[in-house]
Amino acid sequence: MSYENGSATGAPLLTDAPAWIETRVRDRVERGDHTVFVCEVVGAGLKTPDFAPLLLSSTPWNYGG
């Protein structure tokens, strides 16, 4: 799998992905056996403008709330 280093953080970004996002961790919240990381977006882009994302509404899944 090929990657390039992100310009803002140096994190690996997959070169074959249709889009990318770079974040910096700002906080972390631990609850039970889960850890949620709160991040700030520092970079994002779209490599394939005509890419059709998988939407929750097009799957049999649903989340109540």
Side-chain angles (χ1 to χ4, degrees):
M1 195 167 292
S2 61
Y3 67 92
E4 60 191 20
N5 293 331
S7 62
T9 65
L13 304 174
L14 301 176
T15 55
D16 294 335
W20 59 273
I21 185 169
E22 270 187 284
T23 65
R24 284 200 176 95
V25 176
R26 293 297 182 199
D27 200 1
R28 99 185 204 180
V29 180
E30 295 188 30
R31 296 289 185 268
D33 62 350
H34 289 74
T35 302
V36 175
F37 292 92
V38 180
C39 298
E40 172 188 10
V41 175
V42 295
L46 184 62
K47 292 183 177 185
T48 310
D50 60 344
F51 178 77
L54 174 64
L55 302 175
L56 184 61
S57 61
S58 63
T59 72
W61 307 326
N62 66 55
Y63 294 94

